[in-house]
């Protein structure tokens, strides 16, 4: 059967633009897809760096106005990989133009925007997806299979941390991720969103939360040059940090399990330490992104003298996605999670299904993010519905 080409229009060419470009190129090379991505147009504000990115990542054309991009007849899918404040306007306009819309996480900067985005894709009846890539690590997908098989029994605890330290230096400049008008929130929406998504995938929906958001460094040097998370050039003038540096919360799941969540950019020494532990009546699982090919598993049903955490190396052909790469033991990396997300999403679209996770997942995630912010402000437990 002839392969259908899905012409991608990507808005954004920094870190996520790079990761997504790689995923669109690699997915059809390593997965047998009926619908194959075509790197049609990459969009950004500055033509010079944009052309360089197009050349480097292999995009056919460039566009400096996203409004023109979403109206182009020769583009089928809009990928929103911009700072958070542009997610809603671009995704809504893309949906209204009948495009499939794939968006980076978190879905939006506010709950209201997330609702508008979900409504826009639902009303337009267009496919929609959300780049919660850590669902697509083979070890995470294996954890999902094991939990769904009942291997852990009744789940009591979900315990997750997402620890970074890239702004622990108070002289790090005031980049867009540190301003509410652009990012919506700080570590909370940026990386708590990831562990909330994993919690929803592996344990279930969160019923209520009690949290606290903290900003340790209240002012930073304003940027004299480009607004780039990678640092840019600091000026002498100081500006206010208007988002959280760290966000922690307790959660009660609808199924009665308890959760603890910690997201911070001040865990000095931790670079991208995304770790979860799940404890159930029959055993426990531990995943650590910095050892992403491994899943630690403890079974309470092992013979007593043999009980202990075993390390499953999720690189065998029997493990999710691994048959498409290398022989067992030849590990894969961060970028492969995006390739798996793209392959999975396009495979679903080819079958007339919607990708997962999608904007409904994004809205449910945003409800949790919003409830934690309201809990922190009111110093009380808040329901997420
Ligand atoms: C910055 O915290 C960041 O790039 C996040 O935005 C990504 O979602 C995460 O995967 C890595 O860190």
């Amino acid at each position: 059967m002839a392969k259908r080409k899905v012409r991608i229009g990507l808005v954004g060419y920094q870190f996520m633009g790079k990761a997504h470009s790689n995923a669109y190129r690699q997915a059809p090379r390593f997965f047998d897809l009926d619908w194959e991505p075509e790197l049609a147009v990459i969009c950004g504000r500055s033509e010079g760096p944009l052309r360089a990115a197009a050349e480097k990542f292999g995009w056919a054309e460039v566009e400096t106005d996203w409004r023109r991009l979403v109206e182009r007849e020769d583009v089928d899918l809009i990928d929103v990989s911009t700072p958070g404040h542009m997610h809603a306007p671009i995704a809504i306009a893309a949906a209204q133009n009948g495009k499939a819309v794939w968006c980076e996480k978190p879905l939006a900067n506010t709950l209201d925007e997330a609702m508008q985005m979900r409504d826009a894709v639902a009303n337009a009846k267009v496919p929609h997806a959300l780049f919660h890539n850590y669902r697509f690590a083979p070890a995470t997908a294996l954890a999902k299979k094991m939990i769904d098989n009942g291997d852990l029994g009744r789940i009591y605890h979900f315990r997750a941390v997402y620890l970074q330290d890239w702004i622990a230096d108070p002289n790090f400049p005031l980049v867009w991720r540190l301003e509410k008008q652009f990012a919506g929130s700080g570590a909370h929406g940026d990386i708590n969103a990831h562990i909330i998504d994993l919690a929803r995938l592996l344990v279930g929906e969160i019923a209520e939360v009690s949290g606290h958001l903290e900003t340790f460094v209240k002012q930073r040097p304003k940027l004299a040059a480009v607004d780039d998370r990678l640092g840019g050039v600091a000026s002498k003038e100081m500006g206010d940090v208007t988002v959280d540096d760290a966000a922690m919360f307790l959660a009660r799941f609808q199924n009665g399990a308890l959760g603890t969540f910690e997201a911070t950019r001040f865990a000095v020494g931790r670079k991208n330490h995304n770790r979860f532990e799940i404890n159930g009546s029959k055993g426990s699982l531990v995943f650590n992104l910095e050892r992403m090919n491994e899943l630690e598993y403890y079974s309470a049903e092992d013979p007593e003298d043999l009980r202990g955490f075993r390390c499953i190396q999720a690189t065998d052909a029997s493990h999710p996605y691994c048959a498409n790469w290398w022989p067992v033991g030849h590990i894969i990396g961060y970028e492969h999670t995006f390739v798996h997300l793209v392959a999975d999403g396009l495979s679903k679209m080819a079958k007339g299904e919607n990708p997962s996770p999608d904007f409904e997942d994004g809205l449910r995630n945003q409800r949790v993010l919003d409830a934690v912010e309201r809990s922190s402000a009111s110093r009380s437990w808040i329901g997420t519905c």
Side-chain angles (χ1 to χ4, degrees):
M1 185 171 81
K3 304 273 186 188
R4 171 175 166 178
K5 292 292 182 189
V6 179
R7 298 160 299 181
I8 312 290
L10 168 65
V11 191
Y13 57 90
Q14 300 282 4
F15 180 3
M16 287 301 122
K18 181 176 174 182
H20 293 194
S21 299
N22 175 66
Y24 291 129
R25 290 177 71 79
Q26 297 292 65
R29 292 182 174 139
F30 286 86
F31 291 81
D32 182 18
L33 302 177
D34 292 334
W35 287 17
E36 293 190 337
E38 185 178 297
L39 283 71
V41 188
I42 189 167
C43 180
R45 288 172 301 174
S46 319
E47 181 151 1
L50 179 65
R51 289 204 176 280
E55 177 72 24
K56 191 170 184 182
F57 302 148
W59 290 86
E61 291 186 54
V62 300
E63 178 57 77
T64 54
D65 182 346
W66 65 265
R67 293 169 189 80
R68 279 201 299 266
L69 178 72
V70 299
E71 292 173 352
R72 285 181 62 149
E73 294 296 320
D74 59 350
V75 168
D76 304 306
L77 185 154
I78 296 293
D79 176 330
V80 186
S81 289
T82 65
H85 67 297
M86 292 310 295
H87 286 193
I90 296 170
I92 292 167
Q96 289 169 344
N97 280 277
K99 310 300 182 190
V101 192
W102 290 23
C103 188
E104 256 300 325
K105 40 51 61 184
L107 183 62
N109 279 3
T110 66
L111 181 54
D112 185 52
E113 284 178 349
M115 284 191 272
Q116 291 176 46
M117 293 168 78
R118 187 280 311 269
D119 291 349
V121 295
N123 296 337
K125 296 184 176 53
V126 293
H128 46 99
L130 189 59
F131 276 88
H132 274 300
N133 58 300
Y134 297 124
R135 289 188 178 211
F136 296 90
T140 309
L142 175 62
K144 172 66 174 168
K145 264 176 69 176
M146 292 174 71
I147 291 169
D148 289 354
N149 287 343
D151 295 344
L152 292 197
R154 175 188 168 189
I155 305 298
Y156 296 122
H157 291 283
F158 177 86
R159 186 177 304 109
V161 295
Y162 200 147
L163 313 177
Q164 298 178 340
D165 68 359
W166 58 280
I167 58 168
D169 177 354
N171 297 311
F172 189 93
L174 196 69
V175 295
W176 70 264
R177 283 195 183 285
L178 307 182
E179 294 193 88
K180 190 175 183 65
Q181 62 176 320
F182 302 118
S185 62
H188 188 46
D190 185 21
I191 48 182
N192 251 341
H194 275 303
I195 50 183
I196 291 167
D197 181 69
L198 291 171
R200 293 191 55 247
L201 172 75
L202 298 167
V203 178
E205 297 303 342
I206 291 172
E208 54 181 349
V209 296
S210 174
H212 181 75
L213 276 62
E214 188 62 52
T215 304
F216 299 120
V217 173
K218 313 285 188 194
Q219 288 210 317
R220 292 178 179 270
K222 282 189 173 180
L223 273 176
V226 288
D227 58 342
D228 179 334
R229 194 213 108 179
L230 302 180
V233 178
S235 70
K236 293 269 184 287
E237 190 189 352
M238 300 297 278
D240 292 338
V241 174
T242 50
V243 297
D244 56 282
D245 291 328
M248 307 171 70
F249 69 96
L250 300 175
R252 190 177 59 76
F253 290 83
Q254 288 177 0
N255 62 17
L258 295 182
T260 60
F261 297 75
E262 181 182 357
T264 181
R265 293 161 167 167
F266 278 71
V268 176
R270 296 293 187 189
K271 301 309 174 183
N272 199 36
H273 185 86
N274 173 357
R275 180 188 187 277
F276 65 76
E277 177 167 331
I278 300 174
N279 308 129
S281 56
K282 292 165 64 178
S284 293
L285 289 173
V286 180
F287 171 79
N288 174 358
L289 180 66
E290 291 168 340
R291 301 172 66 99
M292 71 165 268
N293 293 274
E294 299 172 4
L295 185 67
E296 290 180 69
Y297 172 44
Y298 178 96
S299 171
E301 298 184 335
D302 280 344
E304 270 186 27
D305 59 341
L306 299 181
R307 273 179 214 162
F309 274 95
R310 70 184 87 155
C311 179
I312 302 168
Q313 194 188 58
T315 60
D316 184 81
S318 62
H319 292 126
Y321 313 109
C322 292
N324 294 74
W325 296 103
W326 323 119
V328 64
H330 295 68
I331 56 176
I332 61 173
Y334 168 77
E335 75 277 16
H336 295 81
T337 64
F338 290 92
V339 179
H340 301 161
L341 186 153
V342 165
D344 189 79
L346 289 174
S347 300
K348 284 186 166 66
M349 283 171 62
K351 290 185 287 190
E353 298 168 17
N354 200 62
S356 176
D358 63 14
F359 281 25
E360 284 295 349
D361 293 295
L363 176 55
R364 288 174 185 266
N365 196 304
Q366 210 83 40
R367 289 189 190 285
V368 178
L369 293 170
D370 178 70
V372 172
E373 293 192 46
R374 287 186 289 123
S375 167
S376 181
S378 62
R379 294 284 196 271
S380 59
W381 278 85
I382 297 283
T384 64
C385 318

